[in-house]
Amino acid sequence: MRLCRSISDFRAEIASFREAGQSVGLVTTMGALHAGHMALVTRARAECDRVVTTIFVNPTQFGQAADLDNYPRTEEADLALFASGGVDAVLIPTVEQMYPPGDETIVETTGLANVLHGQVRPGHFRGVATVVTKLFNIAGADRAYFGEKDYQQLAVIRRMARDLHVPTAVVGVPTVREDDGLAMSSRNVRLSPEHRKEARILYRVLTEAEEALTSGRITVAGDLAAMAGDMVHGETSGRLRAFDMVDPATFIPITGRIIGPVAIMMSVEFGSGDDTVLLIDQKEITP
Ligand code: AMP
């Protein structure tokens, strides 16, 4: 595995793959790798001749400085994992390389970025769309792999790629979970032991929602949201920050009776002050 600390090195490496006629898959990450990230690498390995990855904790997608400062950084372990997963090249750029002095260009999906999770985290999806556009332009990959766990992020990236005629195909990969159902996330390590136990509630709510909708016990969006609030606030110290129901194809919010496929995106916040951890999860359900 080739470790590149400059964009030009990474590009030269990828150019050599291209000259050999090989296809290239891209996996972008912020490091602190776990099995969820590696599922993207495994999928890329299966579909592309070469797999290239990036580790970059992107400052423009963080709202609070504390969240950025607290983001876990485990570079050595990350490199070992990528190497064992068969990654061919990894780029670890500096902030100055990604955002050259005087940088003033942003990419924003103006509608999708400002609804749902985007309202909880203003500017977040603008930061994501901007950095992913840069990484797509740097890598020029055939395919790029993203987790369905970050459901709205995946939708934002798909729309950005479509609107800007990006030649890289965007591929979604199912969420990898811990044994108790908690979606794997780099943020999970920041949970206290008590909050880690309580964090199961996200998956429990989504599973319960699926049962309620498919059995016909609940048919109305508001009732489902009320059930989620009761479960989170009744059983844990967490705060339900979002429980959004949208049409998976259009992202239009579903209110009233749920008659077709629904994507639920929820977020729950644990802890307080600088120790606040916001967890997200998602499920598509067809009643
Ligand atoms: P991050 O390092 O959190 O920015 O995540 C990098 C990529 O890994 C994104 O495409 C995420 O959606 C994906 N990812 C993170 N956690 C998981 C998971 N538990 N299962 C599948 N993909 C994931």
Side-chain angles (χ1 to χ4, degrees), residues 148-169:
E148 288 174 358
K149 179 185 80 99
D150 300 288
Y151 193 81
Q152 188 172 354
Q153 166 174 290
L154 177 57
V156 164
I157 292 166
R158 281 193 202 285
R159 191 150 306 176
M160 173 278 285
R162 186 202 66 174
D163 293 353
L164 298 182
H165 305 282
V166 171
T168 303

Side-chain angles (χ1 to χ4, degrees), residues 195-212:
H195 292 151
R196 169 63 190 83
K197 273 187 221 145
E198 292 184 341
R200 279 181 256 187
I201 193 70
L202 286 97
Y203 186 63
R204 288 205 42 240
V205 166
L206 292 171
T207 310
E208 188 82 6
E210 181 167 47
E211 188 281 321

Side-chain angles (χ1 to χ4, degrees), residues 83-94:
S84 70
V87 169
D88 294 292
V90 53
L91 171 66
I92 306 186
T94 59

Side-chain angles (χ1 to χ4, degrees), residues 4 7 9 13 34 42 84 91 95 97 108 111 124 190 225:
C4 307
I7 292 168
D9 277 1
E13 195 69 12
H34 49 68
T42 303
S84 70
L91 171 66
V95 173
Q97 286 181 74
E108 182 168 22
H124 170 70
R190 293 193 44 228

Side-chain angles (χ1 to χ4, degrees), residues 11-287:
R11 281 194 148 145
E13 195 69 12
I14 293 169
S16 73
F17 302 152
R18 291 246 165 263
E19 275 156 29
Q22 295 167 325
S23 62
V24 176
L26 170 69
V27 175
T28 64
T29 79
M30 298 203 298
L33 300 179
H34 49 68
H37 297 108
M38 297 314 290
L40 307 186
V41 169
T42 303
R43 177 79 176 270
R45 264 260 69 93
E47 297 180 355
C48 308
D49 298 321
R50 296 286 189 166
V51 179
V52 301
T53 61
T54 61
I55 299 176
F56 180 61
V57 183
N58 174 37
T60 65
Q61 71 187 69
F62 285 82
Q64 272 135 15
D67 193 26
L68 175 62
D69 293 343
N70 287 334
Y71 201 83
R73 287 160 215 253
T74 57
E75 188 178 299
E76 223 171 289
D78 291 349
L79 291 174
L81 257 181
F82 272 158
S84 70
V87 169
D88 294 292
V90 53
L91 171 66
I92 306 186
T94 59
V95 173
E96 291 68 31
Q97 286 181 74
M98 291 300 290
Y99 295 93
D103 174 288
E104 55 178 288
T105 307
I106 56 170
V107 178
E108 182 168 22
T109 55
T110 51
L112 259 183
N114 297 309
V115 295
L116 310 170
H117 284 317
Q119 286 178 313
V120 182
R121 306 178 68 187
H124 170 70
F125 289 116
R126 184 195 309 136
V128 169
T130 300
V131 80
V132 170
T133 300
K134 288 171 186 267
L135 293 170
F136 276 11
N137 285 335
I138 289 166
D142 297 277
R143 298 188 187 84
Y145 296 82
F146 295 89
E148 288 174 358
K149 179 185 80 99
D150 300 288
Y151 193 81
Q152 188 172 354
Q153 166 174 290
L154 177 57
V156 164
I157 292 166
R158 281 193 202 285
R159 191 150 306 176
M160 173 278 285
R162 186 202 66 174
D163 293 353
L164 298 182
H165 305 282
V166 171
T168 303
V170 176
V171 182
V173 178
T175 303
V176 179
R177 299 178 179 283
E178 303 284 359
D179 288 343
D180 67 355
L182 176 65
M184 288 192 183
S185 164
S186 307
R187 290 195 157 84
N188 293 351
V189 297
R190 293 193 44 228
L191 293 164
S192 68
E194 196 49 41
H195 292 151
R196 169 63 190 83
K197 273 187 221 145
E198 292 184 341
R200 279 181 256 187
I201 193 70
L202 286 97
Y203 186 63
R204 288 205 42 240
V205 166
L206 292 171
T207 310
E208 188 82 6
E210 181 167 47
E211 188 281 321
L213 280 178
T214 52
S215 69
R217 183 162 59 80
I218 292 178
T219 55
V220 176
D223 294 346
L224 205 61
M227 181 198 84
D230 289 347
M231 285 180 72
V232 172
H233 300 133
E235 299 174 33
T236 75
S237 63
R239 297 172 293 282
L240 183 63
R241 290 293 303 271
F243 190 82
D244 299 313
M245 291 158 277
V246 300
D247 180 323
T250 62
F251 245 73
I252 293 171
I254 295 177
T255 53
R257 198 166 285 279
I258 299 171
I259 46 171
V262 56
I264 300 176
M265 288 166 281
M266 69 180 291
S267 61
V268 177
E269 194 175 69
F270 290 95
S272 57
D274 284 357
D275 293 326
T276 304
V277 184
L278 184 71
L279 299 182
I280 65 171
D281 205 347
Q282 137 291 323
K283 193 170 187 66
E284 278 181 42
I285 300 169
T286 303

